[in-house]
Amino acid sequence: MSVTRRDFVRTSVLGAVATGIGAHGAASGPPNGNGAQGHASANDMYKRPIIITAHNGFNYIDDAYAFLKNGGDTLDAALRVVKGPEDDPKDTSVGLGGLPNEEGVVELDSCCMHGPTRRAGSVGGVRNIKNVSLVAKAVMEQTGHVMLVGEGAERFAVAMGFPRENLLTDHSRKVWLLWKEYHSTTDWWGPALADPHWQPPQEQPEGKPQSELWQERVRRLEKHAANLGIVPELRRDAVYKVLFPPTGTIHCSALNEKGEISGCTTTSGLAYKLPGRVGDSPIIGAGCYTDQDVGSAGATGSGEENIKVAGAHTIIENMRHGMSPKEAGMDALQRIVRNYNHDMKKLQFVDMIYYILRRDGAYAGVSLWTGYEGGHPHQIVVHDGTRRAEDATALFQGFSRDFPPDPKVPAEVQKQFQ
Ligand code: ASP
Protein backbone atom coordinates (compact mmCIF):
# COMPACT_ATOMS: atom_id res chain seq x y z
CA MET A 1 0.00 0.00 0.00
CA SER A 2 1.49 3.32 -0.93
CA VAL A 3 0.83 6.68 0.62
CA THR A 4 -1.52 8.32 -1.82
CA ARG A 5 -2.09 12.00 -2.33
CA ARG A 6 -5.72 11.43 -1.33
CA ASP A 7 -4.61 10.08 2.09
CA PHE A 8 -2.60 13.20 2.70
CA VAL A 9 -5.25 15.59 1.54
CA ARG A 10 -7.78 13.84 3.77
CA THR A 11 -5.43 14.01 6.73
CA SER A 12 -4.83 17.69 6.30
CA VAL A 13 -8.54 18.38 5.88
CA LEU A 14 -9.03 16.67 9.23
CA GLY A 15 -6.80 19.07 11.01
CA ALA A 16 -3.15 18.52 10.24
CA VAL A 17 -1.36 21.62 9.20
CA ALA A 18 0.75 19.92 6.57
CA THR A 19 1.83 16.51 5.43
CA GLY A 20 5.48 17.23 5.90
CA ILE A 21 6.51 15.21 2.89
CA GLY A 22 9.36 17.04 1.30
CA ALA A 23 8.88 19.84 3.80
CA HIS A 24 12.48 19.88 4.91
CA GLY A 25 13.86 19.73 1.41
CA ALA A 26 17.39 18.87 0.54
CA ALA A 27 18.97 21.41 2.88
CA SER A 28 19.12 19.00 5.79
CA GLY A 29 19.95 16.00 3.61
CA PRO A 30 23.27 14.26 3.49
CA PRO A 31 26.00 15.52 1.17
CA ASN A 32 25.35 12.79 -1.40
CA GLY A 33 21.79 13.97 -1.81
CA ASN A 34 20.34 10.60 -0.88
CA GLY A 35 19.20 9.40 2.47
CA ALA A 36 16.78 10.90 4.91
CA GLN A 37 14.85 13.11 2.57
CA GLY A 38 15.66 11.36 -0.68
CA HIS A 39 13.76 8.83 -2.72
CA ALA A 40 15.57 5.80 -3.98
CA SER A 41 15.87 4.97 -7.60
CA ALA A 42 17.18 1.65 -8.78
CA ASN A 43 20.40 3.23 -10.03
CA ASP A 44 21.20 5.29 -6.95
CA MET A 45 24.42 4.40 -5.19
CA TYR A 46 24.38 4.77 -1.44
CA LYS A 47 27.31 5.06 0.90
CA ARG A 48 28.32 2.09 3.01
CA PRO A 49 29.14 1.43 5.76
CA ILE A 50 26.46 3.50 7.42
CA ILE A 51 24.94 3.76 10.89
CA ILE A 52 21.70 5.53 11.79
CA THR A 53 20.50 6.19 15.31
CA ALA A 54 18.45 8.47 17.55
CA HIS A 55 19.61 11.93 18.69
CA ASN A 56 21.09 10.50 21.92
CA GLY A 57 23.49 8.32 19.93
CA PHE A 58 25.36 11.35 18.56
CA ASN A 59 28.32 11.13 20.97
CA TYR A 60 28.86 7.41 20.45
CA ILE A 61 28.46 6.94 16.73
CA ASP A 62 32.04 7.94 15.76
CA ASP A 63 33.57 5.08 17.70
CA ALA A 64 30.98 2.61 16.37
CA TYR A 65 31.57 3.78 12.81
CA ALA A 66 35.35 3.28 13.12
CA PHE A 67 34.69 -0.19 14.55
CA LEU A 68 32.38 -1.05 11.64
CA LYS A 69 34.80 0.30 9.06
CA ASN A 70 37.55 -1.88 10.53
CA GLY A 71 35.47 -4.98 9.92
CA GLY A 72 33.49 -5.08 13.18
CA ASP A 73 30.20 -6.94 13.25
CA THR A 74 27.11 -4.85 12.42
CA LEU A 75 25.21 -5.77 15.60
CA ASP A 76 28.26 -5.10 17.78
CA ALA A 77 28.61 -1.70 16.10
CA ALA A 78 24.96 -0.84 16.83
CA LEU A 79 25.37 -2.05 20.42
CA ARG A 80 28.40 0.22 20.86
CA VAL A 81 26.17 3.18 20.07
CA VAL A 82 23.31 2.29 22.40
CA LYS A 83 25.59 1.26 25.26
CA GLY A 84 26.66 4.92 25.52
CA PRO A 85 23.27 6.22 26.77
CA GLU A 86 22.74 3.03 28.79
CA ASP A 87 25.91 3.84 30.75
CA ASP A 88 25.19 7.57 30.99
CA PRO A 89 23.37 8.43 34.24
CA LYS A 90 22.34 11.76 32.71
CA ASP A 91 20.29 10.13 29.94
CA THR A 92 16.98 9.67 31.75
CA SER A 93 15.35 7.56 29.03
CA VAL A 94 17.76 4.62 28.81
CA GLY A 95 19.70 2.34 31.19
CA LEU A 96 21.31 3.80 34.31
CA GLY A 97 19.46 6.94 35.44
CA GLY A 98 16.35 6.08 33.41
CA LEU A 99 13.21 7.61 34.91
CA PRO A 100 11.40 4.97 36.95
CA ASN A 101 7.91 3.54 36.90
CA GLU A 102 5.19 5.06 39.10
CA GLU A 103 6.56 3.15 42.10
CA GLY A 104 10.04 4.55 41.67
CA VAL A 105 11.60 1.41 40.17
CA VAL A 106 13.60 1.53 36.92
CA GLU A 107 12.51 -1.18 34.46
CA LEU A 108 14.34 -1.59 31.17
CA ASP A 109 13.39 -3.08 27.78
CA SER A 110 15.58 -3.98 24.81
CA CYS A 111 15.83 -6.13 21.71
CA CYS A 112 18.28 -6.81 18.90
CA MET A 113 18.39 -8.56 15.54
CA HIS A 114 21.46 -9.86 13.78
CA GLY A 115 20.82 -9.80 10.03
CA PRO A 116 23.61 -12.08 8.76
CA THR A 117 22.58 -15.00 11.01
CA ARG A 118 18.89 -14.04 11.11
CA ARG A 119 18.73 -14.25 14.90
CA ALA A 120 16.98 -12.16 17.53
CA GLY A 121 17.09 -11.58 21.29
CA SER A 122 14.97 -9.52 23.65
CA VAL A 123 14.37 -8.67 27.30
CA GLY A 124 11.49 -6.80 28.93
CA GLY A 125 10.83 -5.24 32.33
CA VAL A 126 14.36 -5.89 33.62
CA ARG A 127 15.38 -4.35 36.95
CA ASN A 128 18.89 -3.72 38.34
CA ILE A 129 20.85 -4.45 35.14
CA LYS A 130 22.13 -1.48 33.17
CA ASN A 131 23.15 -2.88 29.76
CA VAL A 132 19.97 -4.64 28.74
CA SER A 133 20.88 -4.41 25.05
CA LEU A 134 23.82 -6.70 25.78
CA VAL A 135 21.54 -8.97 27.80
CA ALA A 136 19.23 -9.16 24.74
CA LYS A 137 22.26 -10.19 22.69
CA ALA A 138 23.15 -12.81 25.32
CA VAL A 139 19.59 -14.22 25.13
CA MET A 140 20.10 -14.47 21.37
CA GLU A 141 23.48 -16.17 21.63
CA GLN A 142 23.29 -18.19 24.83
CA THR A 143 19.74 -19.54 24.93
CA GLY A 144 17.25 -21.29 22.70
CA HIS A 145 14.75 -18.51 23.44
CA VAL A 146 14.12 -15.12 21.92
CA MET A 147 12.58 -13.18 24.81
CA LEU A 148 13.02 -13.20 28.60
CA VAL A 149 11.16 -10.87 30.96
CA GLY A 150 11.21 -9.58 34.53
CA GLU A 151 12.85 -11.57 37.28
CA GLY A 152 13.85 -14.43 34.95
CA ALA A 153 15.64 -12.01 32.65
CA GLU A 154 17.44 -10.42 35.60
CA ARG A 155 18.55 -13.81 36.94
CA PHE A 156 19.73 -14.83 33.47
CA ALA A 157 21.74 -11.61 33.20
CA VAL A 158 23.40 -12.20 36.56
CA ALA A 159 24.21 -15.77 35.52
CA MET A 160 25.85 -14.34 32.40
CA GLY A 161 28.04 -12.11 34.57
CA PHE A 162 26.19 -8.79 34.31
CA PRO A 163 26.49 -6.88 37.60
CA ARG A 164 23.37 -6.00 39.58
CA GLU A 165 23.28 -2.30 40.40
CA ASN A 166 20.87 0.36 41.55
CA LEU A 167 19.69 2.08 38.37
CA LEU A 168 17.80 4.86 40.13
CA THR A 169 20.13 7.83 40.36
CA ASP A 170 19.58 10.41 43.06
CA HIS A 171 18.43 12.94 40.45
CA SER A 172 15.91 10.55 38.85
CA ARG A 173 14.61 9.62 42.31
CA LYS A 174 14.04 13.27 43.17
CA VAL A 175 12.39 14.00 39.82
CA TRP A 176 10.08 11.04 40.45
CA LEU A 177 9.23 12.40 43.93
CA LEU A 178 8.51 15.79 42.43
CA TRP A 179 6.25 14.13 39.86
CA LYS A 180 4.41 12.30 42.67
CA GLU A 181 3.90 15.50 44.56
CA TYR A 182 2.74 17.37 41.48
CA HIS A 183 0.11 14.75 40.74
CA SER A 184 -1.02 14.12 44.29
CA THR A 185 -3.74 16.37 45.52
CA THR A 186 -5.70 13.50 46.97
CA ASP A 187 -3.15 11.18 48.54
CA TRP A 188 -0.55 11.22 51.28
CA TRP A 189 2.43 12.06 49.10
CA GLY A 190 4.09 15.44 49.51
CA PRO A 191 4.47 17.77 52.49
CA ALA A 192 1.97 17.04 55.27
CA LEU A 193 -0.23 19.64 56.97
CA ALA A 194 2.31 19.95 59.75
CA ASP A 195 5.12 20.72 57.29
CA PRO A 196 6.20 24.37 57.34
CA HIS A 197 6.16 24.31 53.52
CA TRP A 198 2.57 23.08 53.24
CA GLN A 199 0.26 25.32 51.29
CA PRO A 200 -3.50 25.05 50.88
CA PRO A 201 -4.66 24.11 47.38
CA GLN A 202 -4.80 27.15 45.17
CA GLU A 203 -8.23 28.45 44.25
CA GLN A 204 -8.59 29.25 40.55
CA PRO A 205 -8.76 33.05 40.68
CA GLU A 206 -11.43 34.18 38.29
CA GLY A 207 -10.22 35.86 35.17
CA LYS A 208 -6.53 35.24 35.86
CA PRO A 209 -4.77 34.50 32.57
CA GLN A 210 -3.72 30.87 32.06
CA SER A 211 -0.09 31.84 31.56
CA GLU A 212 -0.01 33.54 34.98
CA LEU A 213 -1.51 30.46 36.63
CA TRP A 214 1.12 28.36 34.92
CA GLN A 215 3.95 30.63 35.99
CA GLU A 216 2.74 30.18 39.56
CA ARG A 217 2.58 26.42 39.09
CA VAL A 218 6.15 26.40 37.76
CA ARG A 219 7.32 28.55 40.70
CA ARG A 220 5.63 26.17 43.16
CA LEU A 221 7.27 23.18 41.48
CA GLU A 222 10.66 24.88 41.64
CA LYS A 223 10.11 25.45 45.35
CA HIS A 224 9.20 21.81 45.85
CA ALA A 225 12.31 20.83 43.88
CA ALA A 226 14.41 22.96 46.22
CA ASN A 227 12.75 21.32 49.26
CA LEU A 228 13.61 17.91 47.82
CA GLY A 229 17.25 18.94 47.68
CA ILE A 230 17.50 19.22 43.90
CA VAL A 231 20.47 21.47 43.23
CA PRO A 232 19.65 24.84 41.60
CA GLU A 233 21.24 23.99 38.25
CA LEU A 234 19.06 20.86 37.90
CA ARG A 235 15.77 22.33 39.15
CA ARG A 236 14.56 23.59 35.82
CA ASP A 237 15.33 20.20 34.26
CA ALA A 238 13.39 18.45 37.03
CA VAL A 239 10.35 20.70 36.58
CA TYR A 240 10.53 20.18 32.83
CA LYS A 241 10.51 16.39 33.32
CA VAL A 242 7.44 16.64 35.51
CA LEU A 243 5.49 18.95 33.19
CA PHE A 244 6.58 17.12 30.04
CA PRO A 245 7.25 13.50 31.08
CA PRO A 246 10.15 12.66 28.81
CA THR A 247 10.20 9.94 26.26
CA GLY A 248 13.49 8.82 24.89
CA THR A 249 14.84 5.42 23.99
CA ILE A 250 17.58 4.75 21.48
CA HIS A 251 17.46 2.69 18.33
CA CYS A 252 20.48 1.98 16.11
CA SER A 253 20.84 0.17 12.79
CA ALA A 254 24.19 -0.54 11.15
CA LEU A 255 25.13 -1.70 7.64
CA ASN A 256 28.62 -2.70 6.54
CA GLU A 257 30.40 -2.73 3.20
CA LYS A 258 29.41 -6.37 2.62
CA GLY A 259 25.74 -5.45 2.92
CA GLU A 260 25.32 -7.12 6.32
CA ILE A 261 22.81 -5.31 8.50
CA SER A 262 21.67 -5.41 12.15
CA GLY A 263 19.66 -3.34 14.61
CA CYS A 264 18.87 -2.87 18.28
CA THR A 265 16.68 -0.72 20.53
CA THR A 266 16.95 -0.06 24.27
CA THR A 267 14.95 2.04 26.74
CA SER A 268 13.71 2.64 30.26
CA GLY A 269 10.30 3.11 28.62
CA LEU A 270 7.73 5.70 29.48
CA ALA A 271 8.52 7.70 32.59
CA TYR A 272 6.18 6.91 35.53
CA LYS A 273 4.60 3.94 33.71
CA LEU A 274 2.69 1.22 35.55
CA PRO A 275 4.99 -1.42 37.02
CA GLY A 276 5.31 -4.32 34.60
CA ARG A 277 4.40 -2.24 31.57
CA VAL A 278 6.44 -3.30 28.56
CA GLY A 279 6.55 -0.98 25.56
CA ASP A 280 7.42 -1.52 21.93
CA SER A 281 11.20 -1.43 22.34
CA PRO A 282 11.71 -5.12 23.20
CA ILE A 283 9.01 -6.32 20.79
CA ILE A 284 10.62 -7.80 17.70
CA GLY A 285 8.74 -6.25 14.80
CA ALA A 286 7.64 -3.15 16.71
CA GLY A 287 10.62 -1.39 18.36
CA CYS A 288 13.09 -3.04 15.98
CA TYR A 289 13.08 -5.33 12.98
CA THR A 290 15.92 -6.39 10.72
CA ASP A 291 15.72 -8.56 7.63
CA GLN A 292 19.02 -9.26 5.94
CA ASP A 293 17.28 -9.26 2.54
CA VAL A 294 15.66 -5.84 2.98
CA GLY A 295 16.95 -3.62 5.76
CA SER A 296 16.53 -2.60 9.37
CA ALA A 297 14.11 -0.27 11.15
CA GLY A 298 13.47 0.89 14.68
CA ALA A 299 11.26 3.23 16.65
CA THR A 300 11.07 5.65 19.51
CA GLY A 301 7.86 7.27 20.72
CA SER A 302 4.41 6.09 21.77
CA GLY A 303 5.13 2.41 22.33
CA GLU A 304 1.53 1.25 22.63
CA GLU A 305 0.66 2.76 19.25
CA ASN A 306 3.71 1.25 17.61
CA ILE A 307 2.94 -2.24 18.88
CA LYS A 308 -0.53 -2.02 17.31
CA VAL A 309 0.90 -1.34 13.85
CA ALA A 310 3.97 -3.61 14.27
CA GLY A 311 5.84 -0.52 13.07
CA ALA A 312 9.33 -1.79 12.32
CA HIS A 313 8.07 -4.96 10.63
CA THR A 314 5.51 -3.01 8.62
CA ILE A 315 8.27 -0.74 7.36
CA ILE A 316 10.50 -3.63 6.33
CA GLU A 317 7.62 -5.33 4.51
CA ASN A 318 6.75 -2.06 2.77
CA MET A 319 10.34 -1.75 1.54
CA ARG A 320 10.33 -5.38 0.47
CA HIS A 321 7.39 -4.51 -1.77
CA GLY A 322 9.16 -1.56 -3.34
CA MET A 323 8.56 1.49 -1.18
CA SER A 324 11.43 3.86 -0.47
CA PRO A 325 12.47 4.13 3.22
CA LYS A 326 10.53 7.37 3.58
CA GLU A 327 7.37 6.04 1.92
CA ALA A 328 7.59 2.88 4.04
CA GLY A 329 7.83 4.92 7.25
CA MET A 330 5.07 7.32 6.24
CA ASP A 331 2.77 4.39 5.57
CA ALA A 332 3.41 3.01 9.07
CA LEU A 333 2.61 6.45 10.50
CA GLN A 334 -0.58 6.55 8.45
CA ARG A 335 -1.62 3.26 10.03
CA ILE A 336 -1.38 4.89 13.46
CA VAL A 337 -3.46 7.79 12.15
CA ARG A 338 -6.01 5.35 10.75
CA ASN A 339 -6.21 3.52 14.11
CA TYR A 340 -7.58 6.77 15.54
CA ASN A 341 -9.86 7.42 12.56
CA HIS A 342 -7.80 10.56 11.85
CA ASP A 343 -9.06 12.14 15.08
CA MET A 344 -6.57 14.96 15.68
CA LYS A 345 -7.93 15.57 19.19
CA LYS A 346 -6.44 12.20 20.08
CA LEU A 347 -3.49 12.11 17.70
CA GLN A 348 -2.08 15.27 19.28
CA PHE A 349 -1.13 13.02 22.24
CA VAL A 350 0.65 10.43 20.10
CA ASP A 351 4.13 10.68 18.60
CA MET A 352 6.42 8.29 16.81
CA ILE A 353 9.81 8.45 15.17
CA TYR A 354 11.01 5.75 12.79
CA TYR A 355 14.66 5.17 11.88
CA ILE A 356 14.88 3.30 8.61
CA LEU A 357 17.91 1.84 6.83
CA ARG A 358 17.61 -0.11 3.61
CA ARG A 359 20.11 -2.78 2.71
CA ASP A 360 21.62 -0.64 -0.07
CA GLY A 361 22.33 2.24 2.33
CA ALA A 362 19.28 4.41 1.56
CA TYR A 363 17.77 5.68 4.79
CA ALA A 364 15.05 7.89 6.25
CA GLY A 365 13.91 9.38 9.54
CA VAL A 366 10.19 10.06 9.73
CA SER A 367 7.99 11.22 12.57
CA LEU A 368 4.31 11.73 13.27
CA TRP A 369 4.88 15.29 14.53
CA THR A 370 7.71 17.79 14.11
CA GLY A 371 8.70 17.34 17.76
CA TYR A 372 7.51 16.88 21.33
CA GLU A 373 5.78 19.78 23.10
CA GLY A 374 8.38 21.87 24.86
CA GLY A 375 11.20 20.22 22.88
CA HIS A 376 13.11 20.46 19.63
CA PRO A 377 12.34 18.99 16.21
CA HIS A 378 12.86 15.22 16.01
CA GLN A 379 16.18 14.28 14.47
CA ILE A 380 18.04 11.20 13.40
CA VAL A 381 21.81 10.86 13.59
CA VAL A 382 23.67 9.42 10.62
CA HIS A 383 27.27 8.37 10.01
CA ASP A 384 28.44 7.25 6.58
CA GLY A 385 31.89 8.78 6.84
CA THR A 386 30.43 12.07 8.02
CA ARG A 387 28.56 12.33 11.29
CA ARG A 388 25.50 14.54 11.24
CA ALA A 389 22.03 15.08 12.70
CA GLU A 390 19.13 15.51 10.30
CA ASP A 391 15.56 16.59 10.90
CA ALA A 392 13.09 13.78 10.52
CA THR A 393 10.38 14.26 7.92
CA ALA A 394 7.17 14.92 9.83
CA LEU A 395 3.74 13.76 8.74
CA PHE A 396 2.10 16.55 10.75
CA GLN A 397 3.71 19.93 11.27
CA GLY A 398 3.48 20.90 14.92
CA PHE A 399 4.37 19.56 18.35
CA SER A 400 2.74 16.58 20.00
CA ARG A 401 1.46 16.80 23.57
CA ASP A 402 2.25 14.53 26.47
CA PHE A 403 -0.09 11.87 27.70
CA PRO A 404 -1.80 11.66 30.18
CA PRO A 405 -3.01 15.14 29.26
CA ASP A 406 -2.47 18.05 31.59
CA PRO A 407 -4.03 21.39 30.79
CA LYS A 408 -1.98 22.75 27.92
CA VAL A 409 1.13 24.59 29.00
CA PRO A 410 0.97 28.00 27.26
CA ALA A 411 3.65 28.69 24.67
CA GLU A 412 5.21 31.55 26.65
CA VAL A 413 5.69 29.23 29.66
CA GLN A 414 7.08 26.47 27.45
CA LYS A 415 9.66 28.87 26.03
CA GLN A 416 11.43 29.25 29.35
CA PHE A 417 12.37 25.55 29.18
CA GLN A 418 13.89 25.73 25.72
N1 ASP B 1 8.92 3.66 22.82
C1 ASP B 1 9.25 3.75 24.21
C2 ASP B 1 8.26 3.00 25.00
O1 ASP B 1 7.08 3.04 24.68
C3 ASP B 1 9.30 5.14 24.74
C4 ASP B 1 10.03 6.15 23.93
O2 ASP B 1 10.54 5.84 22.87
O3 ASP B 1 10.12 7.28 24.33
O4 ASP B 1 8.62 2.41 25.99
Side-chain angles (χ1 to χ4, degrees):
M1 173 182 148
S2 69
V3 183
T4 64
R5 194 176 132 64
R6 205 186 61 209
D7 286 336
F8 281 103
V9 170
R10 186 175 48 182
T11 303
S12 61
V13 165
L14 284 166
V17 182
T19 64
I21 283 212
H24 298 287
S28 60
N32 64 7
N34 300 321
Q37 321 305 332
H39 285 268
S41 88
N43 298 323
D44 281 340
M45 291 295 290
Y46 297 100
K47 277 195 177 178
R48 295 194 306 216
I50 176 170
I51 303 177
I52 65 165
T53 187
H55 68 96
N56 42 352
F58 192 83
N59 291 335
Y60 311 102
I61 202 169
D62 275 346
D63 165 65
Y65 184 79
F67 172 81
L68 193 60
K69 208 154 166 63
N70 287 331
D73 176 71
T74 48
L75 179 56
D76 289 335
L79 289 166
R80 275 178 179 238
V81 175
V82 306
K83 186 174 180 296
E86 280 183 345
D87 288 341
D88 179 3
K90 292 206 187 82
D91 189 317
T92 53
S93 66
V94 184
L96 176 67
L99 282 169
N101 65 23
E102 67 173 13
E103 290 177 356
V105 180
V106 181
E107 290 181 334
L108 307 180
D109 300 333
S110 180
C111 77
C112 65
M113 290 192 84
H114 188 242
T117 57
R118 300 179 192 272
R119 287 182 300 166
S122 160
V123 288
V126 182
R127 301 178 172 194
N128 304 314
I129 310 285
K130 175 175 67 174
N131 297 122
V132 279
S133 60
L134 298 177
V135 181
K137 185 188 177 208
V139 171
M140 179 184 92
E141 288 181 335
Q142 308 295 337
T143 79
H145 303 309
V146 167
M147 187 170 198
L148 295 179
V149 299
E151 211 189 311
E154 182 181 338
R155 285 214 299 267
F156 165 76
V158 171
M160 288 291 115
F162 290 86
R164 268 201 179 97
E165 58 194 295
N166 178 15
L167 303 180
L168 189 64
T169 56
D170 200 44
H171 182 62
S172 287
R173 183 181 62 78
K174 286 171 176 169
V175 172
W176 165 72
L177 276 175
L178 190 64
W179 172 82
K180 292 230 36 133
E181 291 189 9
Y182 177 65
H183 287 276
S184 64
T185 47
T186 53
D187 66 18
W188 292 97
W189 285 92
L193 265 186
D195 190 294
H197 300 296
W198 188 84
Q199 287 185 336
Q202 293 245 316
E203 298 297 326
Q204 287 275 95
E206 288 214 353
K208 217 172 191 187
Q210 274 297 314
S211 59
E212 242 177 79
L213 293 173
W214 270 103
Q215 293 293 3
E216 277 169 26
R217 211 175 276 184
V218 169
R219 274 197 294 276
R220 243 180 298 138
L221 270 170
E222 282 179 337
K223 236 166 120 191
H224 269 320
N227 292 340
L228 285 168
I230 298 177
V231 292
E233 57 273 24
L234 293 180
R235 267 177 219 158
R236 183 102 328 181
D237 173 67
V239 172
Y240 176 79
K241 288 188 169 114
V242 168
L243 291 180
F244 309 101
T247 45
T249 306
I250 180 165
H251 166 78
C252 185
S253 286
L255 171 72
N256 67 13
E257 266 154 9
K258 291 186 268 178
E260 293 170 341
I261 191 163
S262 296
C264 60
T265 302
T266 181
T267 190
S268 53
L270 296 181
Y272 327 125
K273 62 193 172 184
L274 266 63
R277 178 265 188 190
V278 170
D280 59 327
S281 307
I283 308 292
I284 304 287
C288 180
Y289 195 74
T290 304
D291 185 318
Q292 182 52 51
D293 301 335
V294 180
S296 181
T300 63
S302 308
E304 280 71 8
E305 306 315 326
N306 192 34
I307 291 171
K308 288 187 284 182
V309 298
H313 184 262
T314 293
I315 288 167
I316 296 300
E317 291 310 301
N318 282 343
M319 290 199 292
R320 192 194 307 279
H321 296 117
M323 284 190 198
S324 72
K326 186 164 74 174
E327 287 167 340
M330 283 295 175
D331 173 68
L333 294 172
Q334 287 286 4
R335 292 178 192 217
I336 294 173
V337 173
R338 182 203 57 196
N339 278 352
Y340 282 97
N341 296 320
H342 301 254
D343 182 346
M344 301 308 289
K345 283 200 191 85
K346 292 189 174 171
L347 287 165
Q348 65 177 324
F349 295 108
V350 174
D351 211 344
M352 185 59 56
I353 306 138
Y354 289 124
Y355 310 82
I356 308 160
L357 180 57
R358 207 171 54 186
R359 194 184 166 230
D360 59 0
Y363 68 92
V366 302
S367 58
L368 190 61
W369 291 97
T370 309
Y372 294 123
E373 181 180 35
H376 300 285
H378 296 310
Q379 291 197 313
I380 71 164
V381 171
V382 183
H383 205 321
D384 57 6
T386 315
R387 176 181 67 166
R388 58 198 179 273
E390 297 178 6
D391 287 352
T393 303
L395 182 61
F396 301 144
Q397 300 300 299
F399 289 80
S400 59
R401 294 181 57 192
D402 292 307
F403 192 87
D406 244 343
K408 191 162 171 48
V409 183
E412 56 270 37
V413 179
Q414 273 182 41
K415 269 198 207 109
Q416 57 189 272
F417 293 101
Q418 284 164 358

